[in-house]
């Protein structure tokens, strides 16, 4: 073997001895030298040693660099490098910028880059998990380069803190509208930062912000002179001191306060007695008493819109004092909901005291009866709109007395869920027609039937809008009587869930009023079928919105609509019409020339491929399926 490889076994390294004959200690050293693996030596990059990263610079140096960048767009691009840079750039105020003047072209004029218009016309909204401090910082930097942030809404986030709003405050001086809903970690510090930087703030909405106190709101009131609208809801640490500070806002026009347990008569009294430009007031679920309403009646000379909801500690005396003070000289709209202090006596006082009142809404006021209603409508001579909902002492006699008032200027009357209304045994002998009423809504009043409807028709012969939703006791006879006495054309008719109406009365409706009818809702009228659609196609040239959901219409009726050729229908709802099938595809495509909305939800006889075809062919139409 040695002869073959020309190797004798001895060489310079092993002279005359084999490795097996070596000393064991030396053998181990040889093993270590040739067999033991060695750790690879670290190789350094000479480029990195000679060119260190800018990231090793302290924040102070990076700050000095960033304030010298040329313009907001350059700073916005730089903020995209890392979260660290974004944090630094988002906390730079405009007053701290020292960038060189760079000429840019805006509206055909050369302006300095730092002098671009920042009017705050951009709107941003963050909700839930998407609302974080990092996103707020990105919004602050990004919007400053594109016209400025004007409106910001943050809702339902437990991740947003004062750090994020510091970025908004420093980078968005153009902020005008701020809305914070259910943001539990926001503290006074955030509002203080906003008030110190965003002096043009006009609207502030705080809801479910438990850590905000009087100090934060007082800072806004002191430093934001343009504040015109304030909403406070379910903020348990905001009390009377806040309203005392807000009362000094020179431009505050609208205020809404709901469920703030620390706000009492003292705060409301100070606010209303000090503000001379307040026009819109909403008070709900507050621990206030008759004193606050008396102050409203005395000092609310500029108030035009007043809403009072669930004021359980206010009695009849408070509402009577508010009306009897006669200080609500500008009040045109009043809404009262779930206030037991509204009685016949106090309602009449409001009618006499609010001389220019035009719109009145009473909801869940269970102590108002027919006498109070009639007295109020006689006292409120300029009343144009009256809404009654769940006022269960109102009966059919109160309605007739209200509508037959000869001196009334009432244009719109709405009656919803008033359960004491019953069918009249006979028609009254003496009554006067209403010359002004144009809109009538009687909705879900379970005792309202044909006789009442016929009488209402004679009282209101000049209706344009008619809504009889949920009147399951009327049928063709009652509606025929109303249609016969109408002296002008109906524009909007809603007969939703009038389950006893048939094709006969709808055919009469469209023949009489087809030339003026624009909106017709027959949702839930189960006895309506193809004859109705044929009559509509023939008579309703100006109909724009038609709803025949959950009816008996079929493909034949849809074909009649499409074959008219003269209709300009824009919205068609066939939801729940199980007899409309794939055969209506061509009809839908013909109607699609004018349609912008088509509802086919619950049409189980139409397959998905037909829906897909409609989506492609009727690309201008919004299709629900």
């Amino acid at each position: 073997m040695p002869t073959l490889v020309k190797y004798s076994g001895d060489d310079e390294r092993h002279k005359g001895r084999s490795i097996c004959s070596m000393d064991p200690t030396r053998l181990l050293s040889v093993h270590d030298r040739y067999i033991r693996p060695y750790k690879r030596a670290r190789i350094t990059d000479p480029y990195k040693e000679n060119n260190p990263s800018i990231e090793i610079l302290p924040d102070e140096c990076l700050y000095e660099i960033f304030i010298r960048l040329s313009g907001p767009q350059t700073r916005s691009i730089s903020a995209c490098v890392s979260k660290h840079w974004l944090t630094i750039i988002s906390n730079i105020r405009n007053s701290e910028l020292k960038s060189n003047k760079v000429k840019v072209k805006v509206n055909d004029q050369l302006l300095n880059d730092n002098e671009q218009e920042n009017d705050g016309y951009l709107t941003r909204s963050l909700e839930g998990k998407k609302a974080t401090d990092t996103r707020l910082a990105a919004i602050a930097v990004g919007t400053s380069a594109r016209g400025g942030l004007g409106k910001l809404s943050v809702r339902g986030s437990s991740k947003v803190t004062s750090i994020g709003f510091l970025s908004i405050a420093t980078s968005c001086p153009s902020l005008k509208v701020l809305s914070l809903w259910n943001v539990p970690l926001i503290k006074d510090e955030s509002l203080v930062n906003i008030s110190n930087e965003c002096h043009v703030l006009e609207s502030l909405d705080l809801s479910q912000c438990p850590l905000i106190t009087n100090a934060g709101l007082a800072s806004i009131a002191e430093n934001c002179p343009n504040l015109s609208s304030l909403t406070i809801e379910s903020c348990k640490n905001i009390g009377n001191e806040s309203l005392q500070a807000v009362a000094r806002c020179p431009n505050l026009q609208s205020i809404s306060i709901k469920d703030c347990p620390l706000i009492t008569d003292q705060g409301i009294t100070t606010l209303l007695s000090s503000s001379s430009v307040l026009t819109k007031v909403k008070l709900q679920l507050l621990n206030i008493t008759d004193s606050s309403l008396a102050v409203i009646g005395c000092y609310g000379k500029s108030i035009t819109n007043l809403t009072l909801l669930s004021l359980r500690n206010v009695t009849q005396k408070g509402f009577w004092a508010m009306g009897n003070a006669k200080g609500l000289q500008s009040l045109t709209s009043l809404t009262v909901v779930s206030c037991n202090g509204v009685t016949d006596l106090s309602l009449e006082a409001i009618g006499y005291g609010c001389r220019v009142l035009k719109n009145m809404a009473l909801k869940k006021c269970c102590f108002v009866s027919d006498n109070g209603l009639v007295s109020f409508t006689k006292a409120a001579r300029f009343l144009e709109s009256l809404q009654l909902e769940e006022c269960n002492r109102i009966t059919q006699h109160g309605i007739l007395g209200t509508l037959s008032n000869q001196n009334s200027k009432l244009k719109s009357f709405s009656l919803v869920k008033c359960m004491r209304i019953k069918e009249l045994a006979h028609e009254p002998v003496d009554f006067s027609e209403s010359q002004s009423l144009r809109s009538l809504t009687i909705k879900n009043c379970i005792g309202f039937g044909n006789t009442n409807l016929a009488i209402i028709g004679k009282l209101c012969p000049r209706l344009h809008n008619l809504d009889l939703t949920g009147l399951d006791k009327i049928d063709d006879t009652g509606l025929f009587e109303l249609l016969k006495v109408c002296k002008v054309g109906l524009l909007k008719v809603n007969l939703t869930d009038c389950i006893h109406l048939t094709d006969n009365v709808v055919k009469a409706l469209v023949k009489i009023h087809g030339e003026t009818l624009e909106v017709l809702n027959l949702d839930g009228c189960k006895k309506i079928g193809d004859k109705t659609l044929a009559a509509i196609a023939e008579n309703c040239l100006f109909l724009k919105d038609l709803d025949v959901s959950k009816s008996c219409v079929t493909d034949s009726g849809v074909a009649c609509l499409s074959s008219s050729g003269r209709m300009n229908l824009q919205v068609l709802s066939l939801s729940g019409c199980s007899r409309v099938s794939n055969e209506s595809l061509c009809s839908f495509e013909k109607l699609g020339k004018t349609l912008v909305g088509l509802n086919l939800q619950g049409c189980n006889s139409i397959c998905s491929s037909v829906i897909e075809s409609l989506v492609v062919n009727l690309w201008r139409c919004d299709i629900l399926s």
Side-chain angles (χ1 to χ4, degrees):
M1 189 67 166
T3 306
L4 293 175
V5 297
K6 297 181 180 181
Y7 173 56
S8 62
D10 297 331
D11 55 12
E12 296 179 356
R13 179 172 295 180
H14 305 288
K15 296 181 178 179
R17 291 188 304 172
S18 69
I19 192 170
C20 295
S21 63
M22 295 176 62
D23 180 54
T25 304
R26 189 175 179 184
L27 177 61
L28 182 61
S29 64
V30 173
H31 179 273
D32 290 342
R33 183 182 303 173
Y34 293 103
I35 301 177
R36 177 181 294 176
Y38 286 91
K39 184 177 180 180
R40 178 181 293 181
R42 183 183 298 274
I43 301 176
T44 59
D45 188 350
Y47 178 80
K48 288 188 177 181
E49 290 183 348
N50 298 329
N51 300 275
S53 170
I54 194 174
E55 289 288 351
I56 69 173
L57 293 177
D59 290 351
E60 292 80 4
C61 294
L62 290 174
Y63 167 81
E64 292 296 331
I65 294 173
F66 292 148
I67 65 175
R68 288 169 171 80
L69 293 178
S70 59
Q73 293 184 354
T74 306
R75 288 190 294 275
S76 179
I77 295 173
S78 301
C80 297
V81 172
S82 67
K83 187 182 295 186
H84 183 203
W85 284 25
L86 172 63
T87 303
I88 297 175
I89 294 175
S90 65
N91 291 318
I92 298 177
R93 295 177 175 84
N94 286 344
S95 59
E96 298 170 345
L97 297 176
K98 298 180 181 179
S99 57
N100 297 325
K101 303 296 183 180
V102 179
K103 296 292 184 177
V104 295
K105 195 171 186 180
V106 178
N107 294 331
D108 297 328
Q109 294 182 356
L110 286 176
L111 299 175
N112 291 318
D113 194 31
N114 283 334
E115 296 175 356
Q116 294 186 55
E117 293 186 0
N118 198 3
D119 295 331
Y121 61 87
L122 296 178
T123 299
R124 295 293 183 267
S125 178
L126 295 178
E127 187 171 354
K129 296 181 180 180
K130 294 183 179 180
T132 62
D133 290 338
T134 302
R135 285 183 181 269
L136 285 178
I139 287 174
V141 176
T143 56
S144 64
R146 293 168 177 81
L149 182 65
K151 296 181 181 180
L152 175 63
S153 174
V154 181
R155 299 190 177 192
S157 173
S158 58
K159 297 181 180 180
V160 172
T161 66
S162 300
I163 297 175
F165 276 94
L166 178 60
S167 302
I168 294 294
T170 54
S171 299
C172 305
S174 60
L175 186 66
K176 296 179 181 179
V177 179
L178 176 61
S179 178
L180 304 177
W181 286 23
N182 191 18
V183 190
L185 298 184
I186 290 297
K187 301 180 180 180
D188 291 336
E189 180 185 355
S190 299
L191 293 188
V192 171
N193 291 331
I194 292 291
S195 68
N196 290 335
E197 304 294 338
C198 306
H199 300 297
V200 296
L201 188 70
E202 297 177 357
S203 178
L204 177 63
D205 186 348
L206 302 175
S207 178
Q208 301 180 49
C209 299
L211 299 183
I212 292 180
T213 68
N214 295 325
L217 202 53
S219 179
I220 291 287
E222 180 180 357
N223 297 315
C224 300
N226 293 338
L227 187 68
S228 61
S229 177
L230 175 63
T231 298
I232 311 169
E233 179 178 340
S234 301
C235 297
K236 63 180 182 179
N237 287 317
I238 291 180
N240 295 330
E241 295 178 7
S242 298
L243 297 190
Q244 293 171 0
V246 168
R248 295 189 290 270
C249 294
N251 296 305
L252 186 65
Q253 298 178 8
S254 173
I255 187 165
S256 175
I257 309 173
K258 177 182 178 182
D259 192 22
C260 296
L262 297 183
I263 292 179
T264 62
D265 288 331
Q266 181 183 356
I268 299 297
T269 299
T270 303
L271 173 67
L272 294 171
S273 61
S274 303
S275 178
S276 59
V277 296
L278 201 59
T279 59
K280 186 176 181 180
V281 177
K282 181 179 179 180
L283 306 177
Q284 181 175 2
L285 287 170
L286 299 180
N287 296 323
I288 60 176
T289 64
D290 297 338
S291 301
S292 294
L293 265 66
V295 171
I296 292 174
C298 290
Y299 295 99
K301 296 181 180 180
S302 61
I303 297 177
T304 60
N305 191 312
L306 177 61
T307 303
L308 306 172
L309 302 94
S310 301
L311 303 180
R312 307 193 185 282
N313 296 328
V314 179
T315 66
Q316 172 184 274
K317 183 179 178 180
F319 283 97
W320 179 87
M322 184 180 74
N324 202 47
K326 299 182 179 180
L328 295 171
Q329 301 173 1
S330 304
L331 188 66
T332 59
S333 179
L334 174 61
T335 300
V336 184
V337 181
S338 298
C339 293
N340 293 335
V342 180
T343 62
D344 292 347
L345 180 63
S346 59
L347 187 60
E348 184 179 5
I350 291 172
Y352 282 112
C354 305
R355 299 177 181 177
V356 296
L357 187 64
K358 293 183 178 181
N359 305 302
M360 180 68 175
L362 292 175
K363 301 179 181 180
K364 299 181 180 180
C365 295
C366 56
F367 292 107
V368 177
S369 67
D370 294 338
N371 293 333
L373 178 62
V374 174
S375 298
F376 169 73
T377 53
K378 289 181 178 179
R381 297 181 179 181
F382 297 97
L383 191 67
E384 295 181 356
S385 175
L386 177 59
Q387 300 178 45
L388 302 175
E389 183 174 343
E390 295 188 48
C391 297
N392 292 325
R393 289 195 179 186
I394 302 295
T395 70
Q396 61 277 8
H397 300 291
I399 298 172
L400 295 179
T402 299
L403 296 180
S404 61
N405 182 9
Q406 291 183 344
N407 297 322
S408 174
K409 297 183 179 180
L410 199 63
K411 296 180 180 179
S412 175
F413 181 68
S414 176
L415 197 68
V416 180
K417 294 182 180 179
C418 294
M419 300 305 177
R420 286 199 63 184
I421 295 177
K422 298 180 180 180
E423 190 77 334
L424 285 170
H426 54 81
E427 295 186 11
V429 178
D430 297 326
F431 61 86
S432 301
E433 291 183 358
S434 173
Q435 302 298 322
S436 59
L437 197 70
R438 297 293 182 269
S439 178
L440 176 64
T441 298
I442 303 175
K443 190 174 182 179
N444 295 324
C445 297
I446 58 176
F448 200 93
N450 289 331
T451 303
N452 290 341
L453 187 59
I455 296 171
I456 292 293
K458 294 178 180 179
L459 283 173
C460 312
R462 291 174 173 79
L463 292 176
H464 288 311
N465 303 326
L466 178 64
D467 187 347
L468 303 177
T469 298
L471 302 187
D472 56 4
K473 288 191 176 181
I474 66 171
D475 55 25
D476 292 357
T477 304
L479 190 55
F480 268 129
E481 294 297 323
L482 185 143
L483 295 176
K484 287 193 302 184
V485 296
C486 282
K487 297 180 180 180
V488 296
L490 291 170
L491 300 177
K492 298 180 181 179
V493 177
N494 188 351
L495 302 173
T496 298
D497 292 330
C498 294
I499 57 177
H500 297 300
L501 299 181
T502 67
D503 289 326
N504 295 330
V505 72
V506 180
K507 287 167 61 178
L509 168 65
V510 298
K511 286 181 180 179
I512 298 173
H513 301 281
E515 294 182 356
T516 59
L517 199 61
E518 296 179 356
V519 177
L520 179 58
N521 192 336
L522 301 172
D523 183 7
C525 297
K526 299 179 180 179
K527 296 182 179 181
I528 299 299
D530 294 337
K531 293 181 180 179
T532 290
L533 294 188
I536 290 173
E538 182 179 353
N539 298 282
C540 300
L541 302 181
F542 301 101
L543 190 66
K544 297 179 181 179
D545 190 332
L546 175 61
D547 190 343
V548 288
S549 300
K550 292 173 284 187
S551 64
C552 294
V553 299
T554 67
D555 296 326
S556 177
V558 178
C560 290
L561 280 181
S562 64
S563 62
S564 171
R566 300 182 298 171
M567 295 187 67
N568 191 30
L569 196 62
Q570 297 180 5
V571 179
L572 175 61
S573 180
L574 297 167
S575 175
C577 294
S578 57
R579 299 184 181 183
V580 177
S581 67
N582 297 334
E583 296 181 6
S584 294
L585 175 61
C586 296
S587 300
F588 289 140
E589 291 179 347
K590 291 180 181 179
L591 291 170
K593 296 177 181 179
T594 59
L595 282 180
V596 295
L598 177 62
N599 187 354
L600 298 177
Q601 291 179 319
C603 296
N604 299 326
S605 298
I606 301 179
C607 65
S608 58
S609 60
V610 171
I611 298 295
E612 293 175 359
S613 176
L614 289 175
V615 170
V616 174
N617 296 331
L618 308 183
W619 56 271
R620 292 179 299 180
C621 181
D622 185 11
I623 300 176
L624 298 178
S625 61

